[in-house]
Amino acid sequence: MENEIEVPWSEHTVVKKSELLENLSDAGEWREDKIKTSSFIVSPSYGTLDYDGFVSFLRNKFMFFALSEDEIQESERPHLEAQQLSDYRDDAKMDGKWGELILFTMVEGFLDIPMMSHKLGWKQNPTDQVKGSDGLFFGEYEGSPTLGIGEAKMYTDLDDGIEEALDSTDRFHGEDSQLRNQHELTVAMGNPSDNLSKEKIELLSSLFTGESQDYQMLHPIFVGYEDEELEEFQTKPVEDDQELVDQLQDHVEDTDLLSKVTDSLEGDYSHLRKHWLTFFFLPLEDKDRFVENVKAAIYPWTTNH
């Protein structure tokens, strides 16, 4: 068991950073104490943002979001099986799993921290739904064992998205939070991902049933939001795609995402600064159209086109 535990947690991730960076371009990273904000833009192709490429990437990763690698290999139609595990909603704008899917790819791909349990596969009584996190992850962060409790928000307004993400995150540190957190961890460890080794699962079970908390807490937070100015940048000719990326990097830097987060943390949410907070931001031209396209790619029979 000791030799197995020495295997890095990152060995159990199923999303590679290189895959993400084929579809997303780095738009900057800013830090203050335990707070990190990172922004990405959909990678361009011939001077326009290639949303179709990113949507295809998400479609291909959806089965890994719902199923383990072993389950995918054993299934004759893993994508269909993944579809059947998820609740279908007619209105993609009201379906939070698209943000959760992006959060999953970013935590695994950029942080190298594996997802503990495939929440889409949790079999629960409808009257006893766990209104918990948008993803549970465990691995190493800043050199220490870390439980990642994720949140994903997709809002038209950036400030509203940050505020709602912090409000949801605050549930894990407020009144009755210990009972709520333990309940979700218990459900998760009753349905662990087969991507983790048996020894890793046993270790997690012992960590979460112990009297003391022998790990730190991280909140990875994804916020997708609308930015109307993205369209204007694409109307001007550029020498190559890197020129457009450079322009959008400057634009995102002017947005000052770190200040928006730290300002929102003042007051009611200041106690969250005690924990690691890692924000992933993604500006979009049309948030509703984007999530409709993701839904249509994963459930192709639902499109009206």
Side-chain angles (χ1 to χ4, degrees):
M1 180 173 178
E2 290 182 359
N3 291 334
E4 177 65 27
I5 296 305
E6 289 175 3
V7 174
W9 287 91
S10 58
E11 290 296 311
H12 305 292
T13 58
V14 295
V15 180
K16 294 182 174 60
K17 182 178 181 180
S18 58
E19 294 178 287
L20 270 168
L21 291 179
E22 290 175 0
N23 297 278
L24 297 175
S25 295
D26 187 353
E29 178 180 301
W30 305 269
R31 290 177 178 244
E32 180 181 302
D33 299 327
K34 290 185 175 182
I35 304 165
K36 181 174 75 172
T37 58
S38 302
S39 183
F40 299 87
I41 56 172
V42 174
S43 294
S45 177
Y46 294 96
T48 60
L49 301 185
D50 185 13
Y51 289 101
D52 289 344
F54 185 45
V55 168
S56 294
F57 166 78
L58 294 175
R59 180 194 181 280
N60 292 334
K61 290 303 174 188
F62 182 69
M63 68 179 75
F64 294 92
F65 177 52
L67 303 166
S68 70
E69 286 189 298
D70 287 347
E71 290 171 322
I72 290 170
Q73 292 173 3
E74 293 169 2
S75 175
E76 293 183 0
R77 303 181 68 184
H79 188 79
L80 177 61
E81 189 172 335
Q83 291 171 340
Q84 293 172 338
L85 283 174
S86 61
D87 294 330
Y88 172 75
R89 297 188 184 183
D90 289 330
D91 189 350
K93 300 189 297 293
M94 304 304 294
D95 194 337
K97 68 173 167 287
W98 310 127
E100 295 174 17
L101 171 61
I102 297 174
L103 174 72
F104 154 69
T105 65
M106 289 184 164
V107 174
E108 288 224 346
F110 291 136
L111 300 185
D112 257 354
I113 300 177
M115 186 165 64
M116 289 167 41
S117 178
H118 302 275
K119 194 169 183 179
L120 290 186
W122 290 5
K123 305 299 184 183
Q124 295 176 261
N125 187 316
T127 62
D128 187 32
Q129 292 293 326
V130 174
K131 294 180 173 61
S133 72
D134 291 334
L136 288 173
F137 307 84
F138 199 93
E140 186 173 292
Y141 186 77
E142 298 290 333
S144 298
T146 301
L147 170 65
I149 300 180
E151 284 296 328
K153 301 295 180 185
M154 299 193 74
Y155 268 71
T156 301
D157 182 77
L158 170 59
D159 292 328
D160 288 346
I162 294 172
E163 182 74 18
E164 288 299 316
L166 291 175
D167 186 63
S168 294
T169 300
D170 191 47
R171 297 197 313 265
F172 299 97
H173 301 282
E175 186 177 355
D176 297 328
S177 61
Q178 183 175 0
L179 182 62
R180 182 185 299 109
N181 297 349
Q182 191 58 50
H183 179 42
E184 183 168 7
L185 290 171
T186 299
V187 174
M189 292 318 300
N191 303 270
S193 172
D194 288 338
N195 290 332
L196 302 175
S197 65
K198 178 182 177 181
E199 288 77 11
K200 285 287 201 322
I201 293 171
E202 290 176 352
L203 174 62
L204 291 179
S205 296
S206 66
L207 282 175
F208 299 144
T209 56
E211 293 183 2
S212 61
Q213 180 178 308
D214 194 18
Y215 53 85
Q216 64 182 358
M217 192 171 290
L218 161 73
H219 290 289
I221 298 170
F222 167 70
V223 178
Y225 65 96
E226 283 193 6
D227 185 340
E228 297 177 351
E229 295 184 48
L230 294 183
E231 182 177 349
E232 181 63 25
F233 282 97
Q234 297 170 78
T235 63
K236 298 177 174 60
V238 291
E239 290 187 5
D240 54 30
D241 287 334
Q242 186 57 49
E243 182 180 351
L244 177 57
V245 169
D246 292 342
Q247 292 174 359
L248 289 174
Q249 285 175 337
D250 291 339
H251 171 64
V252 170
E253 186 166 6
D254 290 340
T255 306
D256 199 357
L257 293 166
L258 180 59
S259 291
K260 287 183 176 293
V261 168
T262 55
D263 289 348
S264 296
L265 281 165
E266 296 300 321
D268 292 343
Y269 306 124
S270 60
H271 58 282
L272 294 178
R273 283 177 168 269
K274 298 184 297 183
H275 308 284
W276 294 99
L277 302 174
T278 296
F279 282 80
F280 300 105
F281 289 99
L282 182 67
L284 300 161
E285 290 173 66
D286 187 325
K287 182 263 298 180
D288 292 345
R289 181 188 304 169
F290 173 76
V291 295
E292 285 289 351
N293 288 340
V294 175
K295 184 190 77 169
I298 293 175
Y299 304 102
W301 62 83
T302 65
T303 181
N304 294 322
H305 305 308

